[in-house]
């Protein structure tokens, strides 16, 4: 199994303060990698460095085994922070604009992407009239243009109701299994993340303090559970030594 992303001792300073410190992470082909940490822990900073929106202060990034990041990043689809969509356009019009912005002349996959993301039947409805969940699915549809091998999602279920969260989860699973797209997803909804992630990384105060597979999580929770079964949330809180710190999920 190949390595999609490897960071080596990655560090980022803002105003002489480290937002990410000496971080080494590995994401394998086929992973759904759940990236978790408190607000301000460095999740978005790391994602911005991976996707080229911020330059590292130190350390290196390899994508698909290559240090030619300009070329490798063409194989990444990204949804970071607020979805960049045109509210006065339909889903299909948004996709066609994105094709032009990326300089991709072959637009033949647009309808297939709309079908895949559950937006095929939205017709003439404008994006401004979409639910938040529909807008998130449109953002993912835009990220799928160019057939990326690696999808990077920063808090894609933030603010969604349970139905919207399930729709995003089902879409990610479909992309991972049917299209063999590797996914990095940051989220603070740990109960939801534990339903589909295959591998995890915990970031705390800018440092990656743990990496483990789904199977290793079950083993570790069992050994630490005592009188009750631990879950991802319990394990996360035990690792950051803040068992009653609600800020982890705000």
């Amino acid at each position: 199994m190949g390595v999609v992303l490897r960071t080596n001792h990655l560090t980022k300073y803002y105003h002489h303060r480290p937002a990410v410190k000496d971080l080494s992470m590995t994401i394998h082909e086929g992973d759904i990698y759940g990236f978790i940490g408190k607000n301000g822990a460095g999740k978005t900073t790391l994602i911005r460095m991976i996707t080229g929106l911020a330059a590292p202060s130190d350390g290196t990034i390899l994508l698909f085994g290559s240090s030619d990041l300009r070329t490798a990043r063409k194989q990444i689809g990204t949804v970071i922070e607020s979805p960049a969509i045109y509210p006065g356009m339909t889903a299909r019009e948004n996709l066609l604009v994105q094709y032009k912005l990326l300089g991709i002349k072959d637009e033949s996959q647009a309808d297939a992407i709309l079908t895949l993301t559950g937006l095929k039947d939205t017709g003439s409805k404008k994006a401004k009239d979409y639910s938040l969940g529909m807008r998130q699915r449109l953002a993912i549809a835009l990220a799928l243009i160019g057939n990326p091998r690696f999808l990077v999602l920063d808090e894609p279920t933030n603010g969604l109701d349970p139905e919207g969260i399930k729709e995003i989860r089902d879409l990610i699973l479909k992309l991972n299994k049917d299209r063999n797209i590797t996914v990095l997803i940051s989220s603070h909804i740990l109960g939801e993340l534990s339903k589909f992630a295959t591998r995890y990384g915990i970031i705390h105060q800018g440092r990656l303090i743990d990496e483990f597979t789904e199977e290793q999580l079950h083993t570790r929770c069992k050994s630490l559970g005592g009188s009750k079964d631990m879950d991802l949330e319990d394990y996360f809180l035990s690792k950051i030594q803040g068992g009653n710190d609600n800020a982890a999920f705000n």
Side-chain angles (χ1 to χ4, degrees):
M1 184 180 294
V3 173
V4 169
L5 169 72
R6 191 186 304 279
T7 70
N8 293 296
H9 307 292
L10 207 59
T11 298
K12 177 65 177 178
Y13 287 96
Y14 287 112
H15 308 295
H16 307 290
R17 297 186 63 180
V20 170
K21 308 175 194 174
D22 197 34
L23 192 148
S24 296
M25 164 192 279
T26 304
I27 298 180
H28 299 277
E29 184 179 349
D31 277 348
I32 298 178
Y33 190 105
F35 190 38
I36 56 181
K38 292 168 61 173
N39 284 347
K43 297 191 301 296
T44 299
T45 298
L46 179 70
I47 285 173
R48 289 175 64 84
M49 286 191 284
I50 292 167
T51 56
L53 296 174
S57 303
D58 198 8
T60 60
I61 299 170
L62 293 175
L63 283 166
F64 312 105
S66 173
S67 58
D68 179 4
L69 299 182
R70 181 183 292 273
T71 300
R73 283 184 178 126
K74 293 177 181 178
Q75 301 182 75
I76 298 180
T78 307
V79 178
I80 298 180
E81 296 162 352
S82 299
I85 61 178
Y86 293 96
M89 293 184 179
T90 66
R92 195 171 196 281
E93 288 168 346
N94 266 278
L95 260 64
L96 295 181
V97 167
Q98 186 71 357
Y99 272 107
K100 287 182 172 61
L101 289 173
L102 294 174
I104 300 174
K105 294 183 179 180
D106 182 5
E107 302 167 353
S108 61
Q109 290 297 306
D111 287 333
I113 290 172
L114 290 173
T115 300
L116 183 66
T117 53
L119 296 169
K120 184 70 170 69
D121 297 327
T122 53
S124 60
K125 188 173 184 177
K126 307 297 186 187
K128 64 183 179 182
D129 298 319
Y130 288 3
S131 67
L132 181 56
M134 290 172 69
R135 288 199 295 273
Q136 285 297 92
R137 283 188 280 126
L138 177 55
I140 293 173
L142 294 170
L144 292 174
I145 292 174
N147 296 315
R149 295 168 57 193
F150 184 31
L151 199 57
V152 179
L153 308 174
D154 190 16
E155 303 281 5
T157 58
N158 203 15
L160 299 187
D161 60 21
E163 184 180 14
I165 290 171
K166 184 180 184 301
E167 287 174 351
I168 297 297
R169 182 211 316 155
D170 291 345
L171 176 57
I172 291 169
L173 284 168
K174 185 187 296 185
L175 295 172
N176 179 254
K177 294 185 187 307
D178 296 350
R179 292 204 169 194
N180 196 32
I181 296 176
T182 302
V183 182
L184 167 62
I185 174 171
S186 80
S187 179
H188 62 269
I189 308 176
L190 304 192
E192 169 61 23
L193 198 58
S194 65
K195 293 177 180 176
F196 64 98
T198 60
R199 187 174 171 86
Y200 301 90
I202 296 177
I203 187 171
H204 186 53
Q205 296 178 348
R207 296 183 182 276
L208 192 72
I209 61 172
D210 203 0
E211 268 191 321
F212 49 94
T213 64
E214 180 185 14
E215 291 78 13
Q216 288 170 332
L217 172 65
H218 295 321
T219 302
R220 294 179 187 188
C221 286
K222 212 168 189 179
S223 66
L224 294 172
S227 60
K228 75 178 190 72
D229 292 331
M230 289 185 73
D231 58 14
L232 178 61
E233 183 175 312
D234 295 321
Y235 183 73
F236 167 75
L237 291 171
S238 75
K239 290 299 294 185
I240 66 167
Q241 298 179 334
N244 59 1
D245 189 349
N246 291 327
F249 311 108
N250 290 336

